[in-house]
Amino acid sequence: VRPFFYAMAGNDFVFGSELRYVIAYFKDNPALRPDYLLDTLVTSKSAKDMTPYEGIFRLKPGHVLTCSGGSVGTEQYWQEDPGKTIRFSQETEYVQYFREKLIQAVTMRCTGVRGLGTELSGGLDSSAVTGIAADFAASENRSLTAFSNIFPAGTGVEFKDEREFIDDMITHKRVNWVGVDRLNQPLTDLLEHTIDIQGCFVQQNFNIFNRGIYEAAGQQGIPVLLSGFGGDELVSARISLPWNELIREGQWKVMANELFYNGITLKALLKPARIAGRYLYSCLYKPEFRTGVFTPELLGRRFTNLPLQSDFATLHNLRQRLDEKFRMPHQEKLAWRQYSQILMDHLPQRMEYCYTAAAQYGVEYRYPLLDTDLMETCLAFPPWVKQHH
């Protein structure tokens, strides 16, 4: 969550949790890293150890750094094994076990915090985190304040936010609530502010639109803000039922329950033939890479909309750079596909950007849905309890 930037400058080891402080060591700004700039131009996220400057690096997530005798080395200390499995006899056991891990992931990040806050968008992830945190705060006789970005009054006809779900949640749990309906600065000023605090141009601008929440939380003396970010990548991710995996594991009863949950219909009777055909095709043709929803057509449209001069794009192979960023090794098992999702470059980058932006207001982010124990549990669950019907 907290970034760690570092550089070797002669015999000096320079480090900091904000890039601008490392840059400040140098008399002149280090040279820009061309690959980082090109990635930014095509909206790609650079590798986890890269920064915009030559010679300055980020410590990769799950790694420890050792500096000794003028040399720097890194070593990985955490890596999940998506091959591990958790198997119970009843589905209710999975539900109860998941509930325990989820509550633990939230409450351990609330312990010892006075003036606890949450981001509440009205979606499933933020509502779950807010609800559990509200129960914990009530049990400890502490306050909880939920902060939400909402559209300004009078814009509801043209645009619709999730205010109705936010209202349901704060009524249900009786939490303090602050709605933020404006950022109080022009977008250009917000971009300039972001560049100032991050130390250079950035590859994600999400934190800009949460500035109002940081400001409001800081004014209320909220030291910790819980976020539901990361749930989409695994814990609450919507998936397609992996029929091929069910066939390989001989889960015929599970398949029958899924196929005929509405009774014996014509559609249910015809679907097994499609499933069998796809399974046979997958046995004969095993692609080396997968792109998911990012089809070549979608990437082509995205690239066309970028404000790039064609000669410059051709010179630097920018279309190829964009395509390669969305190519991932094809994985047969759902757990491995989900594991690759939580390892994507945008996750730690967004957490680090938001950490730095919120820290300017004395606010620290915490992400319960990216708790390692909770994620390991979800990866180890069988695929057929992750999505039904």
Side-chain angles (χ1 to χ4, degrees), residues 118-131 146-151 160-170 177-180 206 210 213 226-229 232 350 369:
T118 67
E119 289 181 343
L120 177 61
S121 71
L124 178 67
D125 297 330
S126 67
S127 296
V129 170
T130 298
F147 298 86
S148 305
N149 283 320
I150 55 175
F151 282 124
K160 187 172 176 61
D161 55 26
E162 295 185 304
R163 181 67 183 271
E164 61 179 298
F165 305 115
I166 294 170
D167 288 342
D168 284 345
M169 193 66 210
I170 60 179
W177 180 74
V178 176
V180 177
F206 179 87
N210 261 15
I213 286 181
L226 300 184
S227 172
F229 173 65
D232 281 351
R350 171 168 157 176
L369 300 188

Coordinates of all heavy atoms in Angstrom, one line a residue, residues 118-131 146-151 160-170 177-180 206 210 213 226-229 232 350 369:
T118 N -14.8 5.1 6.0 CA -14.9 4.2 4.9 C -15.3 5.0 3.6 O -16.0 6.0 3.7 CB -15.9 3.0 5.1 OG1 -17.2 3.6 5.1 CG2 -15.6 2.3 6.4
E119 N -14.9 4.5 2.5 CA -15.4 5.0 1.2 C -16.7 4.1 0.9 O -16.6 2.9 1.0 CB -14.4 4.7 0.1 CG -13.2 5.6 0.1 CD -12.3 5.4 -1.0 OE1 -12.4 4.3 -1.7 OE2 -11.4 6.2 -1.3
L120 N -17.8 4.8 0.6 CA -19.0 4.1 0.4 C -19.6 4.6 -1.0 O -20.2 5.6 -1.1 CB -20.0 4.4 1.5 CG -21.4 3.7 1.3 CD1 -21.4 2.2 1.2 CD2 -22.4 4.2 2.4
S121 N -19.4 3.7 -2.0 CA -19.9 4.1 -3.3 C -21.3 3.7 -3.5 O -22.0 4.1 -4.4 CB -19.0 3.4 -4.4 OG -19.3 2.0 -4.4
G122 N -21.8 2.7 -2.7 CA -23.1 2.1 -2.9 C -23.0 0.8 -3.5 O -24.0 0.1 -3.6
G123 N -21.8 0.4 -4.0 CA -21.7 -0.9 -4.6 C -21.5 -2.0 -3.6 O -21.4 -1.8 -2.4
L124 N -21.4 -3.3 -4.1 CA -21.3 -4.4 -3.2 C -20.1 -4.4 -2.3 O -20.2 -4.6 -1.1 CB -21.3 -5.7 -4.0 CG -21.2 -7.0 -3.3 CD1 -22.4 -7.3 -2.4 CD2 -21.0 -8.2 -4.3
D125 N -18.9 -4.1 -2.9 CA -17.7 -4.2 -2.1 C -17.6 -3.1 -1.0 O -17.4 -3.5 0.2 CB -16.5 -4.0 -3.0 CG -16.4 -5.1 -4.1 OD1 -16.8 -6.2 -3.8 OD2 -15.9 -4.8 -5.2
S126 N -17.9 -1.9 -1.3 CA -17.8 -0.8 -0.3 C -18.9 -1.0 0.7 O -18.7 -0.6 1.9 CB -17.8 0.6 -1.0 OG -19.1 0.8 -1.5
S127 N -20.0 -1.5 0.3 CA -21.1 -1.6 1.3 C -20.8 -2.8 2.3 O -21.1 -2.6 3.5 CB -22.4 -2.0 0.6 OG -22.8 -0.9 -0.2
A128 N -20.2 -3.8 1.8 CA -19.8 -4.9 2.7 C -18.8 -4.5 3.7 O -18.9 -4.7 4.9 CB -19.3 -6.1 1.9
V129 N -17.8 -3.7 3.2 CA -16.7 -3.2 4.1 C -17.3 -2.3 5.1 O -17.0 -2.3 6.3 CB -15.6 -2.6 3.3 CG1 -14.6 -1.8 4.2 CG2 -14.8 -3.6 2.5
T130 N -18.2 -1.4 4.7 CA -18.8 -0.4 5.6 C -19.7 -1.1 6.6 O -19.6 -0.7 7.8 CB -19.6 0.6 4.8 OG1 -18.7 1.3 3.9 CG2 -20.3 1.6 5.7
G131 N -20.4 -2.0 6.2 CA -21.3 -2.7 7.1 C -20.6 -3.4 8.2 O -21.0 -3.4 9.4
A146 N -18.9 7.3 6.9 CA -18.8 6.9 5.5 C -18.7 8.1 4.6 O -19.5 9.1 4.8 CB -19.9 6.0 5.2
F147 N -17.8 8.1 3.6 CA -17.7 9.2 2.7 C -18.1 8.7 1.3 O -17.6 7.6 0.8 CB -16.3 9.7 2.7 CG -15.8 10.3 4.0 CD1 -15.3 9.5 5.0 CD2 -15.9 11.6 4.3 CE1 -14.9 10.0 6.2 CE2 -15.5 12.2 5.5 CZ -15.0 11.3 6.4
S148 N -18.9 9.5 0.5 CA -19.3 9.1 -0.8 C -19.2 10.2 -1.8 O -19.5 11.4 -1.5 CB -20.8 8.7 -0.8 OG -21.0 7.7 0.2
N149 N -18.7 9.9 -3.0 CA -18.8 10.8 -4.1 C -20.2 10.7 -4.7 O -20.6 9.6 -5.1 CB -17.7 10.4 -5.2 CG -16.3 10.9 -4.8 OD1 -16.1 11.9 -4.2 ND2 -15.4 10.0 -5.1
I150 N -20.8 11.9 -4.8 CA -22.2 11.9 -5.4 C -22.3 13.0 -6.4 O -21.4 14.0 -6.4 CB -23.3 12.1 -4.4 CG1 -23.0 13.4 -3.5 CG2 -23.4 10.9 -3.4 CD1 -24.1 13.7 -2.5
F151 N -23.2 13.0 -7.3 CA -23.4 14.0 -8.3 C -24.0 15.3 -7.6 O -24.8 15.1 -6.7 CB -24.3 13.6 -9.4 CG -23.7 12.7 -10.5 CD1 -24.2 11.5 -10.8 CD2 -22.6 13.2 -11.1 CE1 -23.6 10.7 -11.7 CE2 -21.9 12.4 -12.1 CZ -22.5 11.2 -12.4
K160 N -27.1 9.6 -13.2 CA -27.6 8.9 -12.0 C -26.4 8.2 -11.3 O -25.7 7.5 -11.8 CB -28.6 7.8 -12.5 CG -29.3 7.1 -11.3 CD -30.4 6.2 -11.8 CE -31.1 5.5 -10.7 NZ -31.8 6.4 -9.7
D161 N -26.3 8.6 -10.0 CA -25.3 8.0 -9.2 C -26.0 6.8 -8.4 O -27.1 6.4 -8.7 CB -24.6 9.0 -8.3 CG -25.6 9.8 -7.4 OD1 -26.7 9.2 -7.1 OD2 -25.2 10.9 -7.0
E162 N -25.3 6.3 -7.4 CA -25.8 5.2 -6.6 C -26.3 5.7 -5.2 O -26.2 5.0 -4.2 CB -24.7 4.1 -6.4 CG -24.3 3.5 -7.8 CD -23.3 2.3 -7.6 OE1 -22.3 2.6 -7.0 OE2 -23.7 1.2 -8.1
R163 N -26.9 6.9 -5.2 CA -27.3 7.5 -4.0 C -28.4 6.6 -3.3 O -28.4 6.5 -2.1 CB -27.9 8.9 -4.3 CG -28.3 9.6 -3.0 CD -27.2 10.0 -2.1 NE -27.7 10.7 -0.9 CZ -27.8 12.0 -0.8 NH1 -27.4 12.8 -1.8 NH2 -28.2 12.5 0.3
E164 N -29.3 6.0 -4.0 CA -30.3 5.2 -3.4 C -29.8 4.0 -2.6 O -30.3 3.7 -1.5 CB -31.3 4.7 -4.4 CG -30.7 3.8 -5.5 CD -31.7 3.2 -6.5 OE1 -32.7 2.5 -6.1 OE2 -31.6 3.5 -7.7
F165 N -28.7 3.4 -3.1 CA -28.0 2.3 -2.4 C -27.2 2.8 -1.2 O -27.2 2.2 -0.1 CB -27.1 1.5 -3.3 CG -27.8 1.0 -4.6 CD1 -27.5 1.5 -5.8 CD2 -28.9 0.2 -4.5 CE1 -28.1 1.1 -7.0 CE2 -29.6 -0.3 -5.6 CZ -29.2 0.2 -6.8
I166 N -26.6 4.0 -1.4 CA -25.9 4.7 -0.3 C -26.9 5.0 0.9 O -26.6 4.7 2.0 CB -25.2 5.9 -0.7 CG1 -24.1 5.6 -1.7 CG2 -24.6 6.7 0.5 CD1 -23.5 6.8 -2.4
D167 N -28.1 5.5 0.5 CA -29.1 5.9 1.5 C -29.5 4.6 2.3 O -29.7 4.6 3.5 CB -30.3 6.6 0.9 CG -29.9 8.0 0.4 OD1 -28.9 8.5 0.9 OD2 -30.7 8.5 -0.4
D168 N -29.8 3.5 1.5 CA -30.2 2.3 2.1 C -29.1 1.8 3.2 O -29.5 1.4 4.3 CB -30.3 1.2 1.1 CG -31.6 1.3 0.3 OD1 -32.5 2.1 0.8 OD2 -31.8 0.7 -0.8
M169 N -27.9 1.9 2.8 CA -26.8 1.4 3.7 C -26.7 2.2 4.9 O -26.5 1.7 6.0 CB -25.5 1.4 2.9 CG -24.4 0.7 3.5 SD -24.7 -1.1 3.5 CE -23.8 -1.6 5.0
I170 N -26.6 3.6 4.8 CA -26.4 4.4 6.0 C -27.7 4.4 6.9 O -27.5 4.5 8.1 CB -26.1 5.8 5.6 CG1 -27.1 6.5 4.8 CG2 -24.7 5.9 4.9 CD1 -26.8 8.0 4.4
W177 N -22.5 10.1 7.9 CA -22.3 10.1 6.4 C -21.9 11.5 5.9 O -22.5 12.5 6.3 CB -23.5 9.6 5.7 CG -23.3 9.5 4.2 CD1 -22.6 8.7 3.4 CD2 -23.9 10.4 3.2 NE1 -22.7 8.9 2.1 CE2 -23.5 10.0 1.9 CE3 -24.8 11.5 3.4 CZ2 -23.9 10.7 0.8 CZ3 -25.2 12.2 2.2 CH2 -24.8 11.8 0.9
V178 N -21.0 11.5 5.0 CA -20.6 12.8 4.3 C -20.6 12.6 2.8 O -19.9 11.7 2.3 CB -19.2 13.2 4.8 CG1 -18.8 14.5 4.0 CG2 -19.1 13.5 6.3
G179 N -21.5 13.3 2.1 CA -21.5 13.3 0.7 C -20.7 14.4 0.1 O -20.7 15.5 0.5
V180 N -19.8 14.0 -0.9 CA -18.9 15.0 -1.6 C -19.4 15.1 -3.0 O -19.4 14.2 -3.8 CB -17.5 14.5 -1.5 CG1 -16.6 15.4 -2.3 CG2 -17.0 14.3 -0.1
F206 N -7.1 8.2 -11.0 CA -8.3 7.9 -10.2 C -8.3 8.8 -8.9 O -9.3 9.3 -8.5 CB -8.3 6.5 -9.8 CG -9.5 6.1 -8.9 CD1 -10.7 5.7 -9.5 CD2 -9.3 6.1 -7.5 CE1 -11.7 5.4 -8.7 CE2 -10.4 5.8 -6.7 CZ -11.6 5.4 -7.3
N210 N -11.1 11.6 -6.0 CA -11.3 11.3 -4.6 C -10.8 12.4 -3.7 O -10.8 12.3 -2.5 CB -10.7 10.0 -4.2 CG -11.8 8.9 -4.2 OD1 -12.8 9.0 -4.7 ND2 -11.4 7.8 -3.5
I213 N -13.0 13.6 -1.0 CA -13.1 12.7 0.1 C -11.9 12.8 1.1 O -12.1 12.9 2.3 CB -13.3 11.2 -0.4 CG1 -14.7 11.0 -0.9 CG2 -13.0 10.2 0.8 CD1 -15.0 9.6 -1.4
L226 N -11.1 3.0 5.1 CA -11.2 1.7 4.5 C -11.8 1.8 3.1 O -12.8 2.5 2.9 CB -12.1 0.8 5.3 CG -11.6 0.5 6.8 CD1 -12.6 -0.5 7.4 CD2 -10.2 0.0 6.9
S227 N -11.2 1.0 2.2 CA -11.7 1.0 0.8 C -12.1 -0.4 0.3 O -11.6 -1.4 0.8 CB -10.6 1.5 -0.2 OG -11.0 1.4 -1.5
G228 N -13.1 -0.4 -0.5 CA -13.6 -1.7 -1.1 C -12.8 -2.1 -2.4 O -13.1 -3.1 -3.0
F229 N -11.8 -1.2 -2.7 CA -11.1 -1.5 -4.0 C -10.4 -2.8 -3.9 O -9.9 -3.3 -2.9 CB -10.0 -0.4 -4.2 CG -9.1 -0.6 -5.3 CD1 -9.5 -0.6 -6.6 CD2 -7.7 -0.9 -5.1 CE1 -8.7 -0.9 -7.7 CE2 -6.9 -1.2 -6.1 CZ -7.3 -1.2 -7.4
D232 N -13.2 -6.5 -7.0 CA -13.5 -6.9 -8.4 C -12.5 -7.8 -9.0 O -12.8 -8.6 -9.9 CB -13.6 -5.6 -9.3 CG -14.9 -4.9 -9.2 OD1 -15.8 -5.4 -8.6 OD2 -15.0 -3.8 -9.8
R350 N -2.3 1.9 -8.3 CA -3.4 2.7 -7.9 C -3.4 2.8 -6.3 O -3.6 3.9 -5.8 CB -4.7 2.0 -8.3 CG -5.9 2.7 -7.6 CD -7.2 2.4 -8.2 NE -8.3 2.6 -7.2 CZ -9.6 2.4 -7.5 NH1 -10.0 2.0 -8.7 NH2 -10.5 2.7 -6.6
L369 N -10.3 -6.1 1.2 CA -10.6 -7.1 0.2 C -9.4 -7.6 -0.5 O -9.5 -8.5 -1.4 CB -11.7 -6.6 -0.8 CG -13.0 -6.2 -0.2 CD1 -14.1 -5.9 -1.2 CD2 -13.6 -7.3 0.8

